[in-house]
Amino acid sequence: MEVLAPAPVTNEPMPGTSEGPGCDRGALRVLAHVHTGTYNAGPEAVAMMRLFCGVVSDDLNTFAYDANVAGLGYSLEFADNLSLSVGGFNDKLPDLMKVVVERVADVLEDFEAAGKSIQDVTSEEELCEALGERGQELVEKLEVQRQILLQDYKNFTREEPWSVGNYYLSQLMLRKSWHLDEYIQVLENMPDLLAMSGAVRQALSAVQVDMLVHGNATQDAAKDFAEIFCTNLKRLGAKPLPELRKKEVTKLPKESTTVFEFDLAKLNPAQENCCTQVVYQVGKTNEDFKRDACLSLSCHIAHVSAFQKLRTELQLGYIVQAFPAVTEDVCGFSVLVQGNREHPKDVDQLIEDWLADFGQELEAMSDENFRKNVQAMVNERTQRYSRLVQETTRHWAEILPRRYKFSRVVEATEALENIQKEEVLEFFKEYLAKGAASRRKLSVRVLGTSAGDVKSEVEEPDVLLTSLEDLRRFHGVTESFPPAAFSEMPTSDE
């Protein structure tokens, strides 16, 4: 079992966590990420792990409340791997972690015992007797978590169009991703206890662990946290995972427009708003800091310009944003518009019209105004952290993908400070302008009911995708970017 701990004793919460307030009150945070082979095993294995984490968290409710009152908090979840985060006052934090990780092992063993006890049961009365009080309690918690998760997934189409579009953007960009419908199919029926506990034990049978201890802690204290965590994984029979899953990001066709169109109105007739998000894919981040600086600065300047033109003047929607789009280590320039005034096809064309004008804005921008925008971004990046959680996130962003380049922000900021207007113009002409040699465009369009009220005469795109099957076929005929390489963890002398 590989344990990367301690990393620099170093905060933003991990994405998707639901930590209690105590997690950011204290002077210490501990993040642990358990890499498993679960995601490759299929949607059923993933769903079982998510259910299991929900049951463990539910089982810890009483304890978690008392811990929160004492200024401590935790989060346990499974997205594509298992994540644990604890935070609060450092003198009691090891006790919190110990309770949480021990409960993971205890609940799994209790599920296994309950599953074995009912193997030969034939009646409801025998079932209750065989399960016992603890078994019945876990079965009830499992059913509650199943209903919560199932309802969560089924309510997906009731989310805002931009959120639905962002989900399908991720589905298109990240290959070999399971879809919500596949999880729903698994969760429609109550899982067999032994099957579920078997899936969890299999998931934890081979792991690698990344851990970050940040705040008021010594190196010995960091090692103690790692020992607490790994002792319980070994209790479950965990062995070293041979290799980590490498995520593949789709490389969009060059000099072409790919469109994914999703008819949300069919599934949610109450949603009148449409959403259009265009992404001009640039390439892998951190390979060329100058190119990254050009992208960041272009988005910074474009945000105000797009809002002025598309929101204030054309009134296309109540949400208008221009921002960097990042999928794993691949970045791009993105514009998002949500509203009910125009069909997404026409919004896409209006974004293109604005983009052409934006290129002219960049050319006409005075050197003084250009430097002001650069300085504004530099000031933002060099601003002192106001909360421990902000610094943790920055370090964790280097540790989790195993890059360990903790000077990256400094180097990126230096590239930004030295950037010239001519370089930004060259970047625009290379990646963003219509007909640009390296232009790779994706348009994700989510149709609300208002799309049926207007007709569009815009020509169909080069590639039109309208279903999950289309997305997966598209993956089969397109290339992907090379997966990011892992670096060696630096020693304490580096």
PDB file of all heavy atoms in Angstrom, residues 7 10 13-14 25 61 71 75 81 109 131 159 172 174 187 199 234 239 271 282 312 325 342 396 403 412 449 454 460:
ATOM      1  N   ALA A   7       2.809  15.049   3.017  1.00  0.00           N
ATOM      2  CA  ALA A   7       3.180  16.027   2.000  1.00  0.00           C
ATOM      3  C   ALA A   7       3.440  17.323   2.757  1.00  0.00           C
ATOM      4  O   ALA A   7       3.370  17.330   3.971  1.00  0.00           O
ATOM      5  CB  ALA A   7       2.041  16.187   1.018  1.00  0.00           C
ATOM      6  N   THR A  10       0.308  21.533   5.042  1.00  0.00           N
ATOM      7  CA  THR A  10      -0.360  22.700   4.415  1.00  0.00           C
ATOM      8  C   THR A  10      -1.713  22.981   4.975  1.00  0.00           C
ATOM      9  O   THR A  10      -2.551  22.477   5.304  1.00  0.00           O
ATOM     10  CB  THR A  10      -0.566  22.610   2.918  1.00  0.00           C
ATOM     11  OG1 THR A  10      -1.792  23.143   2.620  1.00  0.00           O
ATOM     12  CG2 THR A  10      -0.405  21.558   2.112  1.00  0.00           C
ATOM     13  N   PRO A  13     -12.283  23.169   0.450  1.00  0.00           N
ATOM     14  CA  PRO A  13     -12.674  21.796   0.623  1.00  0.00           C
ATOM     15  C   PRO A  13     -12.588  21.027  -0.676  1.00  0.00           C
ATOM     16  O   PRO A  13     -12.618  21.632  -1.713  1.00  0.00           O
ATOM     17  CB  PRO A  13     -14.108  21.880   1.111  1.00  0.00           C
ATOM     18  CG  PRO A  13     -14.488  23.295   1.054  1.00  0.00           C
ATOM     19  CD  PRO A  13     -13.320  24.101   0.621  1.00  0.00           C
ATOM     20  N   MET A  14     -12.441  19.719  -0.584  1.00  0.00           N
ATOM     21  CA  MET A  14     -12.431  18.920  -1.794  1.00  0.00           C
ATOM     22  C   MET A  14     -13.759  19.095  -2.503  1.00  0.00           C
ATOM     23  O   MET A  14     -14.798  19.238  -1.860  1.00  0.00           O
ATOM     24  CB  MET A  14     -12.237  17.441  -1.442  1.00  0.00           C
ATOM     25  CG  MET A  14     -10.906  17.156  -0.785  1.00  0.00           C
ATOM     26  SD  MET A  14     -10.701  15.426  -0.447  1.00  0.00           S
ATOM     27  CE  MET A  14     -12.069  15.091   0.628  1.00  0.00           C
ATOM     28  N   ARG A  25     -12.924  25.532  11.144  1.00  0.00           N
ATOM     29  CA  ARG A  25     -12.757  26.353  12.331  1.00  0.00           C
ATOM     30  C   ARG A  25     -11.362  26.253  12.907  1.00  0.00           C
ATOM     31  O   ARG A  25     -10.847  27.196  13.462  1.00  0.00           O
ATOM     32  CB  ARG A  25     -13.751  25.910  13.411  1.00  0.00           C
ATOM     33  CG  ARG A  25     -15.165  26.357  13.182  1.00  0.00           C
ATOM     34  CD  ARG A  25     -15.938  26.103  14.458  1.00  0.00           C
ATOM     35  NE  ARG A  25     -17.334  25.890  14.158  1.00  0.00           N
ATOM     36  CZ  ARG A  25     -18.120  25.153  14.894  1.00  0.00           C
ATOM     37  NH1 ARG A  25     -17.645  24.519  15.945  1.00  0.00           N
ATOM     38  NH2 ARG A  25     -19.378  25.027  14.592  1.00  0.00           N
ATOM     39  N   ASN A  61     -24.002   9.861  12.534  1.00  0.00           N
ATOM     40  CA  ASN A  61     -24.706  11.127  12.738  1.00  0.00           C
ATOM     41  C   ASN A  61     -24.622  11.665  14.161  1.00  0.00           C
ATOM     42  O   ASN A  61     -24.316  12.838  14.387  1.00  0.00           O
ATOM     43  CB  ASN A  61     -26.182  10.999  12.332  1.00  0.00           C
ATOM     44  CG  ASN A  61     -26.395  11.403  10.883  1.00  0.00           C
ATOM     45  OD1 ASN A  61     -25.522  12.030  10.270  1.00  0.00           O
ATOM     46  ND2 ASN A  61     -27.533  11.043  10.331  1.00  0.00           N
ATOM     47  N   GLY A  71     -16.144  21.683  17.488  1.00  0.00           N
ATOM     48  CA  GLY A  71     -15.301  22.354  16.508  1.00  0.00           C
ATOM     49  C   GLY A  71     -14.615  21.430  15.531  1.00  0.00           C
ATOM     50  O   GLY A  71     -13.595  21.796  14.940  1.00  0.00           O
ATOM     51  N   SER A  75     -15.898  14.676   6.238  1.00  0.00           N
ATOM     52  CA  SER A  75     -16.660  14.324   5.042  1.00  0.00           C
ATOM     53  C   SER A  75     -16.155  12.986   4.528  1.00  0.00           C
ATOM     54  O   SER A  75     -14.942  12.761   4.456  1.00  0.00           O
ATOM     55  CB  SER A  75     -16.484  15.390   3.957  1.00  0.00           C
ATOM     56  OG  SER A  75     -16.977  14.933   2.717  1.00  0.00           O
ATOM     57  N   ASN A  81     -13.423   7.702  -6.626  1.00  0.00           N
ATOM     58  CA  ASN A  81     -12.587   7.062  -5.614  1.00  0.00           C
ATOM     59  C   ASN A  81     -13.090   7.496  -4.240  1.00  0.00           C
ATOM     60  O   ASN A  81     -13.955   8.367  -4.126  1.00  0.00           O
ATOM     61  CB  ASN A  81     -11.114   7.435  -5.804  1.00  0.00           C
ATOM     62  CG  ASN A  81     -10.458   6.669  -6.931  1.00  0.00           C
ATOM     63  OD1 ASN A  81     -10.396   5.440  -6.906  1.00  0.00           O
ATOM     64  ND2 ASN A  81      -9.967   7.372  -7.950  1.00  0.00           N
ATOM     65  N   GLU A 109     -18.067  -4.987   8.151  1.00  0.00           N
ATOM     66  CA  GLU A 109     -18.130  -6.298   8.812  1.00  0.00           C
ATOM     67  C   GLU A 109     -19.543  -6.607   9.299  1.00  0.00           C
ATOM     68  O   GLU A 109     -20.002  -7.750   9.224  1.00  0.00           O
ATOM     69  CB  GLU A 109     -17.128  -6.341   9.961  1.00  0.00           C
ATOM     70  CG  GLU A 109     -15.678  -6.357   9.471  1.00  0.00           C
ATOM     71  CD  GLU A 109     -14.657  -6.139  10.571  1.00  0.00           C
ATOM     72  OE1 GLU A 109     -15.081  -5.885  11.729  1.00  0.00           O
ATOM     73  OE2 GLU A 109     -13.444  -6.218  10.292  1.00  0.00           O
ATOM     74  N   LEU A 131     -31.645 -11.074  11.456  1.00  0.00           N
ATOM     75  CA  LEU A 131     -30.863  -9.837  11.332  1.00  0.00           C
ATOM     76  C   LEU A 131     -30.439  -9.287  12.684  1.00  0.00           C
ATOM     77  O   LEU A 131     -29.342  -8.761  12.843  1.00  0.00           O
ATOM     78  CB  LEU A 131     -31.669  -8.762  10.582  1.00  0.00           C
ATOM     79  CG  LEU A 131     -31.750  -8.886   9.070  1.00  0.00           C
ATOM     80  CD1 LEU A 131     -32.727  -7.861   8.506  1.00  0.00           C
ATOM     81  CD2 LEU A 131     -30.375  -8.706   8.441  1.00  0.00           C
ATOM     82  N   GLU A 159     -32.755  20.111 -12.636  1.00  0.00           N
ATOM     83  CA  GLU A 159     -31.724  21.096 -12.345  1.00  0.00           C
ATOM     84  C   GLU A 159     -31.701  22.168 -13.428  1.00  0.00           C
ATOM     85  O   GLU A 159     -32.346  22.046 -14.471  1.00  0.00           O
ATOM     86  CB  GLU A 159     -30.361  20.403 -12.242  1.00  0.00           C
ATOM     87  CG  GLU A 159     -30.251  19.474 -11.046  1.00  0.00           C
ATOM     88  CD  GLU A 159     -28.856  18.887 -10.897  1.00  0.00           C
ATOM     89  OE1 GLU A 159     -27.926  19.370 -11.587  1.00  0.00           O
ATOM     90  OE2 GLU A 159     -28.702  17.944 -10.102  1.00  0.00           O
ATOM     91  N   LEU A 172     -19.045  13.958 -22.512  1.00  0.00           N
ATOM     92  CA  LEU A 172     -18.405  13.951 -23.820  1.00  0.00           C
ATOM     93  C   LEU A 172     -16.889  14.024 -23.705  1.00  0.00           C
ATOM     94  O   LEU A 172     -16.163  13.326 -24.417  1.00  0.00           O
ATOM     95  CB  LEU A 172     -18.930  15.111 -24.671  1.00  0.00           C
ATOM     96  CG  LEU A 172     -18.500  15.112 -26.143  1.00  0.00           C
ATOM     97  CD1 LEU A 172     -19.606  15.648 -27.027  1.00  0.00           C
ATOM     98  CD2 LEU A 172     -17.233  15.928 -26.367  1.00  0.00           C
ATOM     99  N   LEU A 174     -14.871  13.352 -20.948  1.00  0.00           N
ATOM    100  CA  LEU A 174     -14.231  12.267 -20.197  1.00  0.00           C
ATOM    101  C   LEU A 174     -14.710  10.913 -20.713  1.00  0.00           C
ATOM    102  O   LEU A 174     -15.870  10.537 -20.522  1.00  0.00           O
ATOM    103  CB  LEU A 174     -14.542  12.391 -18.710  1.00  0.00           C
ATOM    104  CG  LEU A 174     -13.686  13.354 -17.898  1.00  0.00           C
ATOM    105  CD1 LEU A 174     -14.195  13.428 -16.472  1.00  0.00           C
ATOM    106  CD2 LEU A 174     -12.221  12.922 -17.904  1.00  0.00           C
ATOM    107  N   LEU A 187     -29.902   1.088  -8.907  1.00  0.00           N
ATOM    108  CA  LEU A 187     -30.528   1.458  -7.637  1.00  0.00           C
ATOM    109  C   LEU A 187     -32.038   1.226  -7.583  1.00  0.00           C
ATOM    110  O   LEU A 187     -32.656   1.447  -6.549  1.00  0.00           O
ATOM    111  CB  LEU A 187     -30.252   2.943  -7.347  1.00  0.00           C
ATOM    112  CG  LEU A 187     -28.780   3.291  -7.095  1.00  0.00           C
ATOM    113  CD1 LEU A 187     -28.584   4.809  -7.125  1.00  0.00           C
ATOM    114  CD2 LEU A 187     -28.318   2.736  -5.761  1.00  0.00           C
ATOM    115  N   ALA A 199     -18.924  -6.078  -2.927  1.00  0.00           N
ATOM    116  CA  ALA A 199     -18.434  -5.030  -3.830  1.00  0.00           C
ATOM    117  C   ALA A 199     -17.541  -4.045  -3.078  1.00  0.00           C
ATOM    118  O   ALA A 199     -16.509  -3.600  -3.595  1.00  0.00           O
ATOM    119  CB  ALA A 199     -19.613  -4.290  -4.458  1.00  0.00           C
ATOM    120  N   LYS A 234      -5.670  -1.945   6.194  1.00  0.00           N
ATOM    121  CA  LYS A 234      -5.035  -3.263   6.278  1.00  0.00           C
ATOM    122  C   LYS A 234      -5.927  -4.253   7.012  1.00  0.00           C
ATOM    123  O   LYS A 234      -5.923  -5.454   6.709  1.00  0.00           O
ATOM    124  CB  LYS A 234      -3.688  -3.138   6.980  1.00  0.00           C
ATOM    125  CG  LYS A 234      -2.633  -2.416   6.136  1.00  0.00           C
ATOM    126  CD  LYS A 234      -1.362  -2.177   6.937  1.00  0.00           C
ATOM    127  CE  LYS A 234      -0.327  -1.435   6.105  1.00  0.00           C
ATOM    128  NZ  LYS A 234       0.892  -1.090   6.885  1.00  0.00           N
ATOM    129  N   LYS A 239      -4.339  -4.451  -0.155  1.00  0.00           N
ATOM    130  CA  LYS A 239      -3.000  -4.633  -0.722  1.00  0.00           C
ATOM    131  C   LYS A 239      -2.706  -3.465  -1.668  1.00  0.00           C
ATOM    132  O   LYS A 239      -3.599  -2.698  -2.007  1.00  0.00           O
ATOM    133  CB  LYS A 239      -2.921  -5.959  -1.498  1.00  0.00           C
ATOM    134  CG  LYS A 239      -3.310  -7.180  -0.679  1.00  0.00           C
ATOM    135  CD  LYS A 239      -2.323  -7.443   0.449  1.00  0.00           C
ATOM    136  CE  LYS A 239      -2.700  -8.715   1.210  1.00  0.00           C
ATOM    137  NZ  LYS A 239      -1.842  -8.923   2.395  1.00  0.00           N
ATOM    138  N   GLN A 271     -39.479  23.520 -17.593  1.00  0.00           N
ATOM    139  CA  GLN A 271     -38.265  24.307 -17.803  1.00  0.00           C
ATOM    140  C   GLN A 271     -38.334  25.022 -19.151  1.00  0.00           C
ATOM    141  O   GLN A 271     -38.227  24.415 -20.206  1.00  0.00           O
ATOM    142  CB  GLN A 271     -37.037  23.390 -17.767  1.00  0.00           C
ATOM    143  CG  GLN A 271     -35.711  24.108 -17.946  1.00  0.00           C
ATOM    144  CD  GLN A 271     -35.493  25.216 -16.931  1.00  0.00           C
ATOM    145  OE1 GLN A 271     -35.706  26.401 -17.219  1.00  0.00           O
ATOM    146  NE2 GLN A 271     -35.082  24.831 -15.725  1.00  0.00           N
ATOM    147  N   VAL A 282      -8.173  24.225 -26.186  1.00  0.00           N
ATOM    148  CA  VAL A 282      -6.826  24.729 -26.448  1.00  0.00           C
ATOM    149  C   VAL A 282      -5.788  23.618 -26.336  1.00  0.00           C
ATOM    150  O   VAL A 282      -4.998  23.378 -27.240  1.00  0.00           O
ATOM    151  CB  VAL A 282      -6.480  25.888 -25.485  1.00  0.00           C
ATOM    152  CG1 VAL A 282      -5.020  26.300 -25.633  1.00  0.00           C
ATOM    153  CG2 VAL A 282      -7.399  27.082 -25.768  1.00  0.00           C
ATOM    154  N   THR A 312     -26.268  42.572 -21.609  1.00  0.00           N
ATOM    155  CA  THR A 312     -26.816  43.934 -21.485  1.00  0.00           C
ATOM    156  C   THR A 312     -27.432  44.426 -22.786  1.00  0.00           C
ATOM    157  O   THR A 312     -28.565  44.936 -22.789  1.00  0.00           O
ATOM    158  CB  THR A 312     -25.711  44.904 -21.030  1.00  0.00           C
ATOM    159  OG1 THR A 312     -25.120  44.407 -19.834  1.00  0.00           O
ATOM    160  CG2 THR A 312     -26.290  46.289 -20.781  1.00  0.00           C
ATOM    161  N   ALA A 325     -12.417  26.779 -19.323  1.00  0.00           N
ATOM    162  CA  ALA A 325     -13.032  25.467 -19.107  1.00  0.00           C
ATOM    163  C   ALA A 325     -11.908  24.450 -18.969  1.00  0.00           C
ATOM    164  O   ALA A 325     -11.057  24.345 -19.852  1.00  0.00           O
ATOM    165  CB  ALA A 325     -13.931  25.097 -20.281  1.00  0.00           C
ATOM    166  N   GLU A 342     -33.767  33.270 -27.300  1.00  0.00           N
ATOM    167  CA  GLU A 342     -33.384  32.771 -28.613  1.00  0.00           C
ATOM    168  C   GLU A 342     -33.129  31.269 -28.572  1.00  0.00           C
ATOM    169  O   GLU A 342     -32.814  30.703 -27.524  1.00  0.00           O
ATOM    170  CB  GLU A 342     -32.094  33.465 -29.093  1.00  0.00           C
ATOM    171  CG  GLU A 342     -32.198  34.978 -29.232  1.00  0.00           C
ATOM    172  CD  GLU A 342     -32.926  35.403 -30.490  1.00  0.00           C
ATOM    173  OE1 GLU A 342     -33.238  34.530 -31.329  1.00  0.00           O
ATOM    174  OE2 GLU A 342     -33.194  36.605 -30.637  1.00  0.00           O
ATOM    175  N   TRP A 396      -3.362  20.592  -2.508  1.00  0.00           N
ATOM    176  CA  TRP A 396      -4.033  19.341  -2.861  1.00  0.00           C
ATOM    177  C   TRP A 396      -4.152  19.194  -4.377  1.00  0.00           C
ATOM    178  O   TRP A 396      -4.097  18.089  -4.922  1.00  0.00           O
ATOM    179  CB  TRP A 396      -5.407  19.307  -2.194  1.00  0.00           C
ATOM    180  CG  TRP A 396      -6.114  17.982  -2.195  1.00  0.00           C
ATOM    181  CD1 TRP A 396      -7.356  17.725  -2.691  1.00  0.00           C
ATOM    182  CD2 TRP A 396      -5.656  16.737  -1.643  1.00  0.00           C
ATOM    183  NE1 TRP A 396      -7.693  16.410  -2.486  1.00  0.00           N
ATOM    184  CE2 TRP A 396      -6.672  15.779  -1.848  1.00  0.00           C
ATOM    185  CE3 TRP A 396      -4.477  16.348  -1.010  1.00  0.00           C
ATOM    186  CZ2 TRP A 396      -6.557  14.452  -1.433  1.00  0.00           C
ATOM    187  CZ3 TRP A 396      -4.359  15.017  -0.597  1.00  0.00           C
ATOM    188  CH2 TRP A 396      -5.391  14.092  -0.808  1.00  0.00           C
ATOM    189  N   ARG A 403       1.484  15.650  -9.345  1.00  0.00           N
ATOM    190  CA  ARG A 403       2.397  16.517 -10.104  1.00  0.00           C
ATOM    191  C   ARG A 403       3.484  17.062  -9.189  1.00  0.00           C
ATOM    192  O   ARG A 403       4.632  17.183  -9.581  1.00  0.00           O
ATOM    193  CB  ARG A 403       1.615  17.693 -10.719  1.00  0.00           C
ATOM    194  CG  ARG A 403       0.673  17.314 -11.817  1.00  0.00           C
ATOM    195  CD  ARG A 403       0.096  18.538 -12.500  1.00  0.00           C
ATOM    196  NE  ARG A 403      -0.573  19.444 -11.589  1.00  0.00           N
ATOM    197  CZ  ARG A 403      -1.815  19.884 -11.757  1.00  0.00           C
ATOM    198  NH1 ARG A 403      -2.518  19.475 -12.790  1.00  0.00           N
ATOM    199  NH2 ARG A 403      -2.357  20.719 -10.894  1.00  0.00           N
ATOM    200  N   ALA A 412       3.450  30.427 -13.048  1.00  0.00           N
ATOM    201  CA  ALA A 412       2.341  30.882 -13.882  1.00  0.00           C
ATOM    202  C   ALA A 412       2.140  32.390 -13.749  1.00  0.00           C
ATOM    203  O   ALA A 412       1.825  33.079 -14.732  1.00  0.00           O
ATOM    204  CB  ALA A 412       1.066  30.136 -13.502  1.00  0.00           C
ATOM    205  N   THR A 449     -38.441  24.571 -23.093  1.00  0.00           N
ATOM    206  CA  THR A 449     -39.669  24.682 -23.888  1.00  0.00           C
ATOM    207  C   THR A 449     -39.647  25.894 -24.811  1.00  0.00           C
ATOM    208  O   THR A 449     -40.299  25.890 -25.858  1.00  0.00           O
ATOM    209  CB  THR A 449     -40.892  24.765 -22.963  1.00  0.00           C
ATOM    210  OG1 THR A 449     -40.724  25.862 -22.039  1.00  0.00           O
ATOM    211  CG2 THR A 449     -41.062  23.481 -22.159  1.00  0.00           C
ATOM    212  N   VAL A 454     -39.460  29.271 -31.237  1.00  0.00           N
ATOM    213  CA  VAL A 454     -38.716  30.045 -32.238  1.00  0.00           C
ATOM    214  C   VAL A 454     -38.098  29.103 -33.252  1.00  0.00           C
ATOM    215  O   VAL A 454     -37.738  27.973 -32.936  1.00  0.00           O
ATOM    216  CB  VAL A 454     -37.599  30.893 -31.573  1.00  0.00           C
ATOM    217  CG1 VAL A 454     -38.197  31.998 -30.738  1.00  0.00           C
ATOM    218  CG2 VAL A 454     -36.679  30.027 -30.736  1.00  0.00           C
ATOM    219  N   GLU A 460     -26.911  23.257 -39.961  1.00  0.00           N
ATOM    220  CA  GLU A 460     -26.520  22.196 -39.046  1.00  0.00           C
ATOM    221  C   GLU A 460     -24.993  22.146 -38.946  1.00  0.00           C
ATOM    222  O   GLU A 460     -24.288  22.482 -39.900  1.00  0.00           O
ATOM    223  CB  GLU A 460     -27.044  20.843 -39.538  1.00  0.00           C
ATOM    224  CG  GLU A 460     -28.545  20.688 -39.439  1.00  0.00           C
ATOM    225  CD  GLU A 460     -29.039  20.702 -38.011  1.00  0.00           C
ATOM    226  OE1 GLU A 460     -28.258  20.363 -37.090  1.00  0.00           O
ATOM    227  OE2 GLU A 460     -30.202  21.071 -37.788  1.00  0.00           O
TER     228      GLU A 460
END
